[in-house]
Amino acid sequence: MPVPLRRALSAAILAVLILPLGCSTALTSKREEDRRMSSSDDVSRSTHRWGIVIHGGAGVIKRESLTSEREAAFRAVLTEALQAGHSILAHGGTSLDAVTAAVRVMEDSPLFNAGKGAVFTHDGKNELDAAIMNGRTREAGSVAGLHHVKNPIVLARAVMEKSPHVMMIGAGAEAFAKQQGVELVPESYFYTEERWQALQRALEAEKKQQQTPSEQGQPQGPSTFWEHPAGREHKFGTVGAVALDQAGNLAAGTSTGGMTNKRFGRVGDVPVIGAGTYANERCAVSATGHGEYFIRYTVARDICSRMEYLDLPLLEASHQVVMDILVKAGGEGGVIAMDAQGNVAMPFNSAGMYRGYMGQDGVPSVAIFKEQ
Ligand code: ASP
């Protein structure tokens, strides 16, 4: 039999064998998807031609561990961030400006793990990462390992707009900040007692685990650190925003202190374009969660690629990645995403995610827990 014919025949046999399997998997996952979506707050927003979506981190955020005063404080800053971005969009401003403004508000609040309020590294320092991306042009800027930049999102934007590069790190990035007149602050600016205590608890837990003899009678290694540097206190708290402006352009931005007890110059997913932050002409994504998984699974770009290559709607593409692929891999967290039609998705696989949305009607909707 000629080779092309043989190939065609084996492809046909394979298709017959695989098709029923593929169909049933698709049906099961569709049903599963419907079940999940009905309990989430994703909404088709295509009646809104423009708008902004934000997050303030995902993780173990339970209703019973949040006092009503604290919950009100979170809701107030999230609303303020939405309003900052929305007023720019309402005046015909760009999605890039809206994202920058919203992220700045959250960076300046000690409640979130970005800018003031960033978590501490193993060595008791604050080390900040951020990124921004312009969906229309695919220009991007990112920064990592900062110790003195008050608003890392502003520096990421300067890298994108004022340098020929995409990513700058550490002392070099801070020298660039100085050159560009980006505000620098002493390291003590980032200190908050709450984050300091979180580091002490993580260090204590790690020490205890190392001292606990394993079943073989040997002391255990620092496995908690490798699994999750903050031990059981998975509160990520990174901030991010995605926006669609009146001209139909998308942008995404994210800013973080990383993970409590991180070490060795660890850089997470936030400044890795395509992992924690990504935007193109059809989709914009900002993520929060256990960064190592978001890097390995190139989460933000994967969501946009599924839309592009598989022609999936935003909701389905983002749910597939966050609620299926990441869950199977053990990657905790969530994303906010927007498409060029103004649809919004906010899937997360953790107990909660600080999040909010404001469309052209100017009505803010803010949520924290799974069930509102
Ligand atoms: N994704 C961030 C990181 O791994 C952490 C977070 O979302 O809070 O650096």
Side-chain angles (χ1 to χ4, degrees):
M1 193 189 295
V3 177
L5 198 62
R6 211 181 318 142
R7 278 209 195 115
L9 203 63
S10 32
I13 293 169
L14 211 65
V16 171
L17 287 175
I18 285 175
L19 214 60
L21 191 70
C23 284
S24 78
T25 316
L27 279 178
T28 325
S29 63
K30 185 78 196 77
R31 246 177 261 133
E32 180 66 0
E33 202 83 316
D34 291 345
R35 189 187 59 72
R36 279 195 212 108
M37 280 186 209
S38 61
S39 68
S40 91
D41 53 359
D42 298 306
V43 197
S44 172
R45 303 281 186 181
S46 43
T47 47
H48 294 262
R49 287 191 330 277
W50 53 270
I52 181 160
V53 193
I54 58 169
H55 72 77
V60 183
I61 309 162
K62 296 208 180 113
R63 206 181 283 274
E64 55 273 21
S65 52
L66 208 59
T67 63
S68 51
E69 291 77 25
R70 210 167 149 75
E71 185 182 331
F74 273 108
R75 287 180 184 273
V77 182
L78 290 169
T79 306
E80 193 192 328
L82 283 173
Q83 281 160 346
H86 185 271
S87 89
I88 290 170
L89 296 173
H91 290 95
T94 65
S95 50
L96 267 185
D97 282 343
V99 161
T100 310
V103 169
R104 271 187 87 148
V105 169
M106 293 184 281
E107 283 181 337
D108 290 341
S109 162
L111 292 175
F112 299 97
N113 170 22
K116 172 113 188 135
V119 298
F120 284 92
T121 66
H122 183 70
D123 302 326
K125 294 199 171 281
N126 305 104
E127 228 163 72
L128 314 167
D129 305 336
I132 194 159
M133 186 156 183
N134 182 341
R136 186 175 58 85
T137 61
R138 297 209 193 186
E139 288 170 319
S142 81
V143 286
L146 309 175
H147 296 285
H148 301 94
V149 177
K150 184 170 180 251
N151 293 105
I153 195 74
V154 173
L155 184 59
R157 179 122 183 225
V159 170
M160 177 174 83
E161 290 175 343
K162 312 265 176 56
S163 90
H165 306 303
V166 168
M167 190 178 211
M168 290 191 193
I169 62 160
E174 296 204 332
F176 179 68
K178 203 165 169 187
Q179 201 185 75
Q180 294 299 321
V182 172
E183 188 173 356
L184 298 173
V185 288
E187 288 182 74
S188 57
Y189 166 81
F190 299 106
Y191 182 92
T192 56
E193 183 61 22
E194 190 192 331
R195 300 297 191 196
W196 181 253
Q197 291 309 328
L199 172 66
Q200 303 318 306
R201 287 194 295 277
L203 292 173
E204 198 51 43
E206 195 175 292
K207 206 160 91 198
K208 259 196 213 133
Q209 206 203 352
Q210 282 168 22
Q211 285 162 356
T212 311
S214 71
E215 280 164 22
Q216 287 79 34
Q218 297 295 318
Q220 289 189 342
S223 58
T224 308
F225 165 65
W226 295 116
E227 282 157 18
H228 198 296
R232 248 170 252 140
E233 239 185 285
H234 304 190
K235 255 181 264 142
F236 296 110
T238 286
V239 308
V242 295
L244 174 67
D245 60 30
Q246 295 193 39
N249 298 322
L250 290 158
T254 321
S255 181
T256 189
M259 290 168 81
T260 301
N261 199 21
K262 66 179 181 180
R263 52 189 100 173
F264 310 128
R266 180 263 189 190
V267 175
D269 58 314
V270 167
V272 178
I273 298 300
T277 311
Y278 188 75
N280 63 23
E281 60 291 335
R282 75 181 74 209
C283 161
V285 179
S286 169
T288 172
H290 196 157
E292 279 68 11
Y293 292 88
F294 284 70
I295 296 174
R296 290 187 200 120
Y297 287 84
T298 55
V299 165
R301 171 65 193 170
D302 191 17
I303 291 170
C304 297
S305 297
R306 279 163 197 269
M307 294 177 69
E308 191 177 338
Y309 306 154
L310 303 175
D311 210 19
L312 290 181
L314 177 82
L315 221 61
E316 215 171 321
S318 58
H319 276 254
Q320 277 182 4
V321 176
V322 175
M323 309 304 282
D324 186 28
I325 294 174
L326 273 182
V327 168
K328 284 178 186 147
E332 188 185 355
V335 304
I336 51 167
M338 251 187 134
D339 69 13
Q341 284 68 50
N343 295 303
V344 171
M346 308 184 230
F348 56 96
N349 61 39
S350 47
M353 182 166 86
Y354 298 103
R355 59 201 188 279
Y357 168 78
M358 201 185 253
Q360 64 194 95
D361 62 4
V363 178
S365 58
V366 164
I368 300 174
F369 314 105
K370 213 158 236 166
E371 311 292 344
Q372 291 309 302

